[in-house]
Amino acid sequence: MKLETDEKVINYIRRKIAEAGKIVAVLGIEMLVEGGGYDLDSNEETYRVEELYGYTPEDMLSTSFFNAKGERFFRFYKNEILTMEVKSTPAYDALLRLQAQGKLSAVICQNFHGIPQGIRFHKIIELNGNMNSNRCPHCSKLFDINYMRNAVGIPLCDNCKKTAVRPNIRLLGERVNAKLMTEAENACEEADVLLIMGKDMYDDRLEYSADPSRSQLKILFSQEKQLSDRKVDFVIQDEIQLFLPVVI
Ligand SMILES: [Zn+2]
């Protein structure tokens, strides 16, 4: 299979991964898209959603929208988010190989869609929550994703009857859980290799900073030509599911 990345770079990254003791993977939008999901933040999708619902995904995935327009929120959420089924890709298999070698010290998940079924990472930090988990804000009863899918209109707690069940995901306007953020930052700080697998859906603030005494290789996977000023060693434009199995 043909990769666009220069062979020398591939060999260098392969060697660094082989030598590394601690590797951290940060899963972003590209991992979701390669697994069959879609990027709601792309121009195309934003336009489509706005045409269909009258609001952009960004508008609707916010706390204020959730609180003020529950019915519309759940129409969008059930049709567009809960229908995304995230499948495994060879990139996940490559990460599992790293885990089996004892090198994968953490997986930081920035998508709230969760990890494909059947994949188990020992250490996973879900910074933006997980849509498989849902809770009644009133009585704290937990509900699975099927309860949300099958509900007509707003999913109401069957215990309290009147309270809307809240997906355990972070909406725009909410802070990242501080404890999780610290855990993620500590994991990044200790990593020899950081695999940043796609952009963050909320584009925020995980700094990926390394302990200054440690030499760290940062690899960002991104199809975007125009990149922010994130300090990384390499930007890989190949698909993650094609590239990763070659270097791991
Ligand atoms: Zn309840």
Side-chain angles (χ1 to χ4, degrees):
M1 105 198 37
K2 189 81 184 86
L3 295 174
E4 273 178 38
T5 307
D6 188 90
E7 181 111 8
K8 276 186 198 151
V9 172
I10 294 175
N11 289 335
Y12 179 78
I13 291 175
R14 186 189 290 125
R15 200 181 76 232
K16 285 294 188 183
I17 287 177
E19 290 168 0
K22 286 183 175 176
I23 298 176
V24 169
V26 185
L27 311 189
I29 291 286
E30 275 79 350
M31 278 296 272
L32 181 69
V33 171
E34 289 184 13
Y38 43 91
D39 179 4
L40 283 166
D41 201 30
S42 69
N43 291 337
E44 227 170 63
E45 284 298 322
T46 301
Y47 179 78
R48 181 185 67 81
V49 166
E50 199 171 0
E51 283 288 287
L52 207 57
Y53 299 89
Y55 297 89
T56 65
E58 206 181 320
D59 291 334
M60 288 186 280
L61 283 174
S62 69
T63 327
S64 51
F65 197 89
F66 177 85
N67 290 331
K69 300 189 167 70
E71 200 136 342
R72 277 172 187 264
F73 173 89
F74 278 109
R75 189 161 75 90
F76 163 74
Y77 184 73
K78 286 196 278 185
N79 289 341
E80 306 291 340
I81 308 275
L82 289 186
T83 48
M84 274 193 218
E85 207 179 309
V86 190
K87 298 189 184 72
S88 187
T89 69
Y92 286 100
D93 299 332
L95 291 179
L96 288 175
R97 283 201 291 283
L98 282 182
Q99 178 165 270
Q101 293 163 15
K103 293 182 173 199
L104 188 66
S105 48
V107 173
I108 300 170
C109 200
Q110 292 177 318
N111 307 318
F112 53 60
H113 306 76
I115 297 293
Q117 250 191 341
I119 306 277
R120 293 279 174 275
F121 292 121
H122 300 328
K123 172 84 177 164
I124 176 155
I125 303 166
E126 294 184 308
L127 281 184
N128 293 321
N130 189 323
M131 68 181 193
N132 291 292
S133 158
N134 303 277
R135 181 189 293 270
C136 170
H138 187 69
C139 72
S140 294
K141 182 170 176 183
L142 293 170
F143 296 90
D144 66 11
I145 197 167
N146 288 326
Y147 188 86
M148 306 300 275
R149 281 197 181 114
N150 298 334
V152 178
I154 297 178
L156 297 177
C157 172
D158 60 4
N159 189 28
C160 309
K161 309 292 183 202
K162 278 185 195 153
T163 313
V165 178
R166 167 73 209 258
N168 280 339
I169 62 172
R170 182 165 73 97
L171 296 172
L172 276 171
E174 294 170 341
R175 283 168 193 274
V176 187
N177 178 304
K179 187 171 155 280
L180 292 181
M181 189 50 113
T182 305
E183 256 183 74
E185 282 168 351
N186 289 346
C188 287
E189 204 174 297
E190 291 175 359
D192 302 313
V193 175
L194 204 50
L195 302 167
I196 306 163
M197 300 156 88
K199 65 181 174 187
D200 177 1
M201 62 184 295
Y202 291 135
D203 202 21
D204 48 22
R205 46 211 126 201
L206 186 59
E207 286 292 331
Y208 314 118
S209 44
D211 180 339
S213 67
R214 189 177 265 276
S215 85
Q216 181 181 69
L217 183 71
K218 288 193 185 85
I219 304 163
L220 171 65
F221 292 86
S222 173
Q223 311 261 330
E224 274 173 49
K225 302 269 188 287
Q226 234 185 350
L227 286 162
S228 57
D229 57 350
R230 245 175 216 168
K231 289 190 179 65
V232 296
D233 299 289
F234 296 106
V235 178
I236 305 294
Q237 286 182 339
D238 285 303
E239 279 188 32
I240 309 169
Q241 57 181 339
L242 296 182
F243 188 91
L244 221 49
V246 173
V247 293
I248 294 175

